[in-house]
Amino acid sequence: MKKLIFFLILSIFSLPIFAQNFKYAFVSDTHIGSANADEDLRRTVADINNQPELEFIIITGDITEMGTNEELKLAKEILSGLKKPYYIMPGNHDTGWSESGGVSFIKEFGYDKFTFDYKGYRFIGCASGPYVRMSDGHIPRDATVWLDSILKKTPKDMPIIFANHYPIDNSLDNWYEVTDRLKTRNVQYIICGHGHNNHQYNFEGIFGTMGRSNLRAKDSIGGYNVVNMTKDTVYFSLKKPTQELLAPWRKIPLKTFVHQTLKAYERPSYDINKKYSDVKELWTYHSSANVVNTPAYSNSLVIFGNSLGLVEALNRTTGKKVWTYQTKGAIYSSPVVKNQLVILGSGDGYIYALNIANGKLVWKVETPNSVLGSPIIDGDVVFIGGSDHSFRALDIKTGKVIWKFDGVEGAIVDKPLIYQGKVIFGAWGRHLYALDLKSGSLVWKWDNGNGNRMFSPAMVTPVATNGVVYIAAPDRFLTAIDANNGQTLWRNKEATVRESIGLSADSSTVYGKTMQDEIVGYKTQSTDPGIAWRLNAGFGYEHIPSMLIEKDGKVFYGTKNGVVYAFDPKTKQNLWAHKIDNSMINTINVIDGKNILVSTMDGKVTILQSKE
């Protein structure tokens, strides 16, 4: 009898303590800025307000269509009409094309990740990217650091509900960083958006539910989910504004989570590093936030910024931190070094010049919006574009504005090209621009004829030779443009080159990285040459902007899955490959044929060294 009583007591205390029933609204993918989106969201807000039994609202990302400041303000204005608390996170549409690099989302809503407790449950919501560049989905490095801190403070038996924009699967390049953490806790289920449909998931033993988009799509009205938490089961039901709540389409048992260890789940493989064992990481530094820019280097330092606005300088030999400088916005601008200065832009709207020796501020220039573009230097002039529809030329010594061109449509997010007395750059507003280097006046602007901003030539660094400028926008064409007048000379789509190109050291060949396995070469000429050669590099499906850089007879580039490749442009053969992590490789800074400086979106910065 005593054993039976003991067993009953043990059973009671081994179960999670669930509080009384409650309901909440689960809204996703509102896409403010797309057709009818504001009307659909206003209807949903009014509908939720007419249901006093709903205790709060969780909104799982893609709040806007393009992440513009205007779209975010409108979304905030509509959501401010909710009478109950709401918790919100950004999705890839809020960050991937964001003119502020995610800064404006935080300004409008106060955060990009959240946690709160309600009736015995801990709700945790993480941001997800990609940020400013095209890549796979990614839980930001600062969010995983934050998640660790939250879980550390969470009692082991406390039931957890996790929310993210993406499904927690390999549509995120670091999905396992979430599942591995949650499986050590009493996780109940995960909710997500992104797919625009109600869908049932199982994330490595964790129940998951995708919620439909709030957009009406082909229907006459949008919709969302009502989540009913009972003592032992959670129910998901579709709700369309002004219509009756439908019967539950999804139910999940609420019970103590037990991690199943018998099944092996997919994880990234690093076996490629065994194949090319002569390639070594001299050192690797892991920043506390994403690094989505190309680090600069001097004789003694490596310098870069991260998505929390921190500029970090590392000892070039050891990788140890030497100094830091804190800005107030995410940094996506690749720094440049000259005259003992480090120059870069920040999401806080300033262009900074720092003393390279100690990181102290030398000068800064304020602009009305974020500065995500990367600077380039010609003589004593710094050229850099921002998100305020402007491109500037600054005196390198003082930061004084020499000229400003304010006719840019969309945000500037990449590095310009200086060629034949012009500065040439693209923007998220459909156009490539050529400005007079001395005066800043418009010489020409080019577009590919596509009205969709997502096909803008914004994320490719142009290359040029013999009077021809070459670019590859997301429309998957390699395009040759007359440098004098901006006229299209030819466009080639044979190889689906997307945003990643490079120019050979002798300027005879444009290299292109395709979206499936291949590197291709095109002869540089004013008439369409077709593809001169193909190299099956074997990197798989690919879509990130990571330019191809040639130096000392080798060509280097990175991929979306954290692998750096080098090939011989003469023999058209891979030389080596090395995997750093499982996130996007930014455009590489090649020191010489043996040493390259690499950064990844997950915040790793390393110097790779290869033997001959």
Side-chain angles (χ1 to χ4, degrees), residues 364-403:
K364 65 178 181 178
V365 175
E366 184 176 11
T367 78
N369 206 335
S370 295
V371 183
L372 309 181
S374 299
I376 192 168
I377 296 174
D378 183 62
D380 290 326
V381 182
V382 179
F383 299 89
I384 187 168
S387 296
D388 62 338
H389 308 291
S390 299
F391 191 92
R392 292 171 173 81
L394 309 174
D395 184 280
I396 195 171
K397 296 177 183 177
T398 64
K400 180 181 178 181
V401 177
I402 297 170
W403 55 254

Short mmCIF file of all heavy atoms in Angstrom, two decimals, residues 364-403:
data_model
loop_
_atom_site.label_atom_id
_atom_site.label_comp_id
_atom_site.label_asym_id
_atom_site.label_seq_id
_atom_site.Cartn_x
_atom_site.Cartn_y
_atom_site.Cartn_z
N LYS A 364 31.92 61.36 -37.79
CA LYS A 364 30.74 60.63 -38.25
C LYS A 364 29.82 61.61 -38.95
O LYS A 364 29.77 62.80 -38.62
CB LYS A 364 30.03 59.91 -37.10
CG LYS A 364 29.42 60.79 -36.03
CD LYS A 364 28.70 59.91 -35.00
CE LYS A 364 28.04 60.75 -33.92
NZ LYS A 364 27.32 59.90 -32.93
N VAL A 365 29.08 61.09 -39.92
CA VAL A 365 28.17 61.90 -40.72
C VAL A 365 26.77 61.33 -40.55
O VAL A 365 26.55 60.14 -40.77
CB VAL A 365 28.57 61.89 -42.20
CG1 VAL A 365 27.54 62.63 -43.05
CG2 VAL A 365 29.96 62.50 -42.38
N GLU A 366 25.83 62.18 -40.17
CA GLU A 366 24.45 61.72 -39.97
C GLU A 366 23.68 61.78 -41.28
O GLU A 366 23.82 62.72 -42.07
CB GLU A 366 23.76 62.60 -38.93
CG GLU A 366 22.35 62.12 -38.59
CD GLU A 366 21.69 62.94 -37.50
OE1 GLU A 366 22.25 64.00 -37.15
OE2 GLU A 366 20.63 62.53 -37.00
N THR A 367 22.85 60.76 -41.50
CA THR A 367 21.93 60.74 -42.63
C THR A 367 20.52 60.48 -42.10
O THR A 367 20.37 60.02 -40.97
CB THR A 367 22.31 59.65 -43.66
OG1 THR A 367 21.89 58.38 -43.17
CG2 THR A 367 23.81 59.63 -43.92
N PRO A 368 19.49 60.72 -42.89
CA PRO A 368 18.11 60.56 -42.39
C PRO A 368 17.63 59.12 -42.26
O PRO A 368 16.54 58.88 -41.76
CB PRO A 368 17.27 61.31 -43.43
CG PRO A 368 18.21 62.14 -44.20
CD PRO A 368 19.49 61.42 -44.19
N ASN A 369 18.43 58.14 -42.74
CA ASN A 369 17.98 56.75 -42.71
C ASN A 369 19.20 55.85 -42.51
O ASN A 369 20.33 56.35 -42.41
CB ASN A 369 17.24 56.39 -44.01
CG ASN A 369 16.22 55.27 -43.84
OD1 ASN A 369 16.33 54.44 -42.94
ND2 ASN A 369 15.23 55.23 -44.72
N SER A 370 18.99 54.57 -42.47
CA SER A 370 20.09 53.63 -42.26
C SER A 370 21.09 53.70 -43.42
O SER A 370 20.75 54.05 -44.55
CB SER A 370 19.53 52.21 -42.15
OG SER A 370 18.73 52.07 -41.01
N VAL A 371 22.32 53.35 -43.10
CA VAL A 371 23.38 53.26 -44.11
C VAL A 371 23.84 51.81 -44.15
O VAL A 371 24.65 51.38 -43.32
CB VAL A 371 24.54 54.21 -43.81
CG1 VAL A 371 25.58 54.13 -44.93
CG2 VAL A 371 24.05 55.64 -43.65
N LEU A 372 23.32 51.04 -45.10
CA LEU A 372 23.64 49.63 -45.23
C LEU A 372 24.67 49.38 -46.33
O LEU A 372 25.28 48.31 -46.37
CB LEU A 372 22.38 48.82 -45.54
CG LEU A 372 21.17 49.04 -44.62
CD1 LEU A 372 20.01 48.15 -45.05
CD2 LEU A 372 21.53 48.80 -43.16
N GLY A 373 24.84 50.36 -47.21
CA GLY A 373 25.78 50.22 -48.31
C GLY A 373 27.22 50.24 -47.82
O GLY A 373 27.54 50.75 -46.76
N SER A 374 28.11 49.65 -48.64
CA SER A 374 29.53 49.60 -48.30
C SER A 374 30.28 50.72 -49.00
O SER A 374 29.96 51.08 -50.13
CB SER A 374 30.12 48.25 -48.72
OG SER A 374 29.47 47.20 -48.04
N PRO A 375 31.27 51.29 -48.32
CA PRO A 375 32.03 52.39 -48.92
C PRO A 375 33.09 51.89 -49.89
O PRO A 375 33.54 50.74 -49.83
CB PRO A 375 32.68 53.05 -47.70
CG PRO A 375 32.83 51.93 -46.71
CD PRO A 375 31.68 51.00 -46.93
N ILE A 376 33.50 52.78 -50.76
CA ILE A 376 34.66 52.55 -51.62
C ILE A 376 35.43 53.86 -51.66
O ILE A 376 34.84 54.95 -51.56
CB ILE A 376 34.24 52.08 -53.03
CG1 ILE A 376 35.44 51.58 -53.82
CG2 ILE A 376 33.49 53.17 -53.79
CD1 ILE A 376 35.06 50.84 -55.10
N ILE A 377 36.76 53.79 -51.78
CA ILE A 377 37.60 54.98 -51.69
C ILE A 377 38.34 55.19 -53.00
O ILE A 377 38.85 54.25 -53.60
CB ILE A 377 38.60 54.84 -50.52
CG1 ILE A 377 37.84 54.78 -49.19
CG2 ILE A 377 39.59 56.00 -50.50
CD1 ILE A 377 38.72 54.49 -47.99
N ASP A 378 38.37 56.44 -53.44
CA ASP A 378 39.16 56.84 -54.60
C ASP A 378 39.94 58.09 -54.19
O ASP A 378 39.34 59.15 -53.96
CB ASP A 378 38.26 57.14 -55.80
CG ASP A 378 39.05 57.49 -57.04
OD1 ASP A 378 39.82 56.63 -57.51
OD2 ASP A 378 38.90 58.62 -57.54
N GLY A 379 41.25 57.95 -54.06
CA GLY A 379 42.06 59.07 -53.59
C GLY A 379 41.70 59.43 -52.16
O GLY A 379 41.77 58.59 -51.26
N ASP A 380 41.28 60.65 -51.95
CA ASP A 380 40.89 61.10 -50.62
C ASP A 380 39.38 61.27 -50.50
O ASP A 380 38.90 62.06 -49.68
CB ASP A 380 41.58 62.44 -50.30
CG ASP A 380 43.07 62.27 -50.09
OD1 ASP A 380 43.46 61.21 -49.57
OD2 ASP A 380 43.84 63.19 -50.45
N VAL A 381 38.64 60.54 -51.33
CA VAL A 381 37.18 60.65 -51.31
C VAL A 381 36.57 59.29 -51.01
O VAL A 381 36.97 58.27 -51.60
CB VAL A 381 36.64 61.19 -52.66
CG1 VAL A 381 35.13 61.36 -52.60
CG2 VAL A 381 37.30 62.52 -53.00
N VAL A 382 35.59 59.29 -50.11
CA VAL A 382 34.83 58.09 -49.77
C VAL A 382 33.48 58.18 -50.47
O VAL A 382 32.79 59.21 -50.38
CB VAL A 382 34.59 57.99 -48.25
CG1 VAL A 382 33.78 56.74 -47.92
CG2 VAL A 382 35.91 57.98 -47.50
N PHE A 383 33.10 57.12 -51.15
CA PHE A 383 31.80 57.07 -51.83
C PHE A 383 30.95 56.00 -51.14
O PHE A 383 31.39 54.85 -50.97
CB PHE A 383 31.97 56.72 -53.31
CG PHE A 383 32.79 57.73 -54.07
CD1 PHE A 383 34.17 57.60 -54.16
CD2 PHE A 383 32.18 58.82 -54.68
CE1 PHE A 383 34.93 58.52 -54.85
CE2 PHE A 383 32.93 59.75 -55.38
CZ PHE A 383 34.31 59.61 -55.47
N ILE A 384 29.71 56.35 -50.77
CA ILE A 384 28.87 55.40 -50.05
C ILE A 384 27.40 55.76 -50.24
O ILE A 384 27.02 56.94 -50.28
CB ILE A 384 29.23 55.37 -48.55
CG1 ILE A 384 28.47 54.25 -47.81
CG2 ILE A 384 29.02 56.73 -47.89
CD1 ILE A 384 28.98 53.98 -46.41
N GLY A 385 26.56 54.73 -50.36
CA GLY A 385 25.12 54.93 -50.52
C GLY A 385 24.36 54.55 -49.27
O GLY A 385 24.82 53.71 -48.47
N GLY A 386 23.18 55.14 -49.10
CA GLY A 386 22.35 54.87 -47.93
C GLY A 386 20.93 54.50 -48.30
O GLY A 386 20.61 54.28 -49.46
N SER A 387 20.09 54.44 -47.28
CA SER A 387 18.67 54.11 -47.47
C SER A 387 17.80 55.35 -47.52
O SER A 387 16.57 55.25 -47.45
CB SER A 387 18.21 53.18 -46.35
OG SER A 387 18.90 51.95 -46.39
N ASP A 388 18.40 56.52 -47.62
CA ASP A 388 17.65 57.78 -47.68
C ASP A 388 17.53 58.28 -49.11
O ASP A 388 17.37 59.47 -49.34
CB ASP A 388 18.32 58.84 -46.80
CG ASP A 388 19.73 59.19 -47.26
OD1 ASP A 388 20.35 58.37 -47.97
OD2 ASP A 388 20.23 60.28 -46.91
N HIS A 389 17.63 57.35 -50.07
CA HIS A 389 17.54 57.67 -51.50
C HIS A 389 18.70 58.53 -51.97
O HIS A 389 18.60 59.23 -52.97
CB HIS A 389 16.21 58.37 -51.82
CG HIS A 389 15.01 57.64 -51.31
ND1 HIS A 389 14.61 56.43 -51.83
CD2 HIS A 389 14.15 57.93 -50.31
CE1 HIS A 389 13.55 56.00 -51.17
NE2 HIS A 389 13.25 56.88 -50.25
N SER A 390 19.83 58.43 -51.25
CA SER A 390 20.97 59.29 -51.55
C SER A 390 22.27 58.50 -51.63
O SER A 390 22.44 57.48 -50.97
CB SER A 390 21.12 60.38 -50.47
OG SER A 390 19.97 61.20 -50.42
N PHE A 391 23.17 59.04 -52.46
CA PHE A 391 24.53 58.53 -52.57
C PHE A 391 25.47 59.70 -52.34
O PHE A 391 25.26 60.79 -52.90
CB PHE A 391 24.76 57.91 -53.94
CG PHE A 391 26.04 57.13 -54.06
CD1 PHE A 391 26.06 55.77 -53.81
CD2 PHE A 391 27.23 57.75 -54.40
CE1 PHE A 391 27.24 55.04 -53.91
CE2 PHE A 391 28.41 57.04 -54.51
CZ PHE A 391 28.43 55.68 -54.25
N ARG A 392 26.52 59.51 -51.53
CA ARG A 392 27.37 60.62 -51.11
C ARG A 392 28.83 60.41 -51.44
O ARG A 392 29.33 59.28 -51.43
CB ARG A 392 27.24 60.82 -49.59
CG ARG A 392 25.90 61.32 -49.12
CD ARG A 392 25.80 61.27 -47.59
NE ARG A 392 24.58 61.91 -47.11
CZ ARG A 392 23.39 61.31 -47.10
NH1 ARG A 392 23.27 60.06 -47.53
NH2 ARG A 392 22.33 61.95 -46.64
N ALA A 393 29.50 61.53 -51.67
CA ALA A 393 30.95 61.58 -51.74
C ALA A 393 31.42 62.41 -50.55
O ALA A 393 30.96 63.54 -50.35
CB ALA A 393 31.42 62.21 -53.05
N LEU A 394 32.34 61.84 -49.73
CA LEU A 394 32.78 62.50 -48.50
C LEU A 394 34.29 62.68 -48.51
O LEU A 394 35.03 61.84 -49.02
CB LEU A 394 32.40 61.66 -47.28
CG LEU A 394 30.97 61.18 -47.15
CD1 LEU A 394 30.84 60.23 -45.95
CD2 LEU A 394 30.03 62.35 -46.99
N ASP A 395 34.74 63.76 -47.91
CA ASP A 395 36.17 63.96 -47.70
C ASP A 395 36.66 62.96 -46.66
O ASP A 395 36.11 62.89 -45.56
CB ASP A 395 36.43 65.39 -47.22
CG ASP A 395 37.91 65.69 -47.07
OD1 ASP A 395 38.48 65.28 -46.03
OD2 ASP A 395 38.50 66.30 -47.96
N ILE A 396 37.67 62.18 -46.98
CA ILE A 396 38.10 61.12 -46.09
C ILE A 396 38.67 61.65 -44.78
O ILE A 396 38.59 60.97 -43.73
CB ILE A 396 39.12 60.19 -46.80
CG1 ILE A 396 39.30 58.89 -46.01
CG2 ILE A 396 40.45 60.90 -46.99
CD1 ILE A 396 40.11 57.84 -46.74
N LYS A 397 39.22 62.86 -44.79
CA LYS A 397 39.85 63.39 -43.58
C LYS A 397 38.83 63.94 -42.60
O LYS A 397 38.99 63.81 -41.38
CB LYS A 397 40.85 64.50 -43.96
CG LYS A 397 42.02 64.01 -44.79
CD LYS A 397 42.92 65.16 -45.19
CE LYS A 397 44.06 64.68 -46.09
NZ LYS A 397 44.92 65.81 -46.54
N THR A 398 37.76 64.53 -43.11
CA THR A 398 36.83 65.26 -42.24
C THR A 398 35.41 64.71 -42.25
O THR A 398 34.63 65.01 -41.35
CB THR A 398 36.77 66.73 -42.66
OG1 THR A 398 36.21 66.82 -43.99
CG2 THR A 398 38.15 67.37 -42.64
N GLY A 399 35.08 63.95 -43.28
CA GLY A 399 33.70 63.50 -43.43
C GLY A 399 32.80 64.53 -44.09
O GLY A 399 31.60 64.28 -44.29
N LYS A 400 33.35 65.66 -44.46
CA LYS A 400 32.55 66.70 -45.11
C LYS A 400 31.98 66.19 -46.43
O LYS A 400 32.66 65.54 -47.22
CB LYS A 400 33.40 67.94 -45.36
CG LYS A 400 32.64 69.08 -46.02
CD LYS A 400 33.56 70.29 -46.27
CE LYS A 400 32.81 71.40 -46.99
NZ LYS A 400 33.70 72.56 -47.27
N VAL A 401 30.69 66.48 -46.64
CA VAL A 401 30.03 66.04 -47.87
C VAL A 401 30.52 66.88 -49.04
O VAL A 401 30.37 68.11 -49.05
CB VAL A 401 28.49 66.15 -47.74
CG1 VAL A 401 27.82 65.75 -49.05
CG2 VAL A 401 27.99 65.26 -46.60
N ILE A 402 31.11 66.24 -50.03
CA ILE A 402 31.58 66.92 -51.23
C ILE A 402 30.42 67.08 -52.21
O ILE A 402 30.23 68.14 -52.79
CB ILE A 402 32.73 66.12 -51.87
CG1 ILE A 402 33.92 66.05 -50.90
CG2 ILE A 402 33.15 66.74 -53.20
CD1 ILE A 402 35.02 65.09 -51.34
N TRP A 403 29.65 66.01 -52.41
CA TRP A 403 28.42 66.10 -53.18
C TRP A 403 27.47 65.00 -52.73
O TRP A 403 27.88 64.01 -52.12
CB TRP A 403 28.66 66.03 -54.69
CG TRP A 403 29.42 64.87 -55.25
CD1 TRP A 403 30.71 64.87 -55.71
CD2 TRP A 403 28.93 63.52 -55.47
NE1 TRP A 403 31.07 63.62 -56.17
CE2 TRP A 403 29.99 62.77 -56.04
CE3 TRP A 403 27.73 62.88 -55.24
CZ2 TRP A 403 29.88 61.42 -56.37
CZ3 TRP A 403 27.61 61.53 -55.57
CH2 TRP A 403 28.67 60.82 -56.12
#
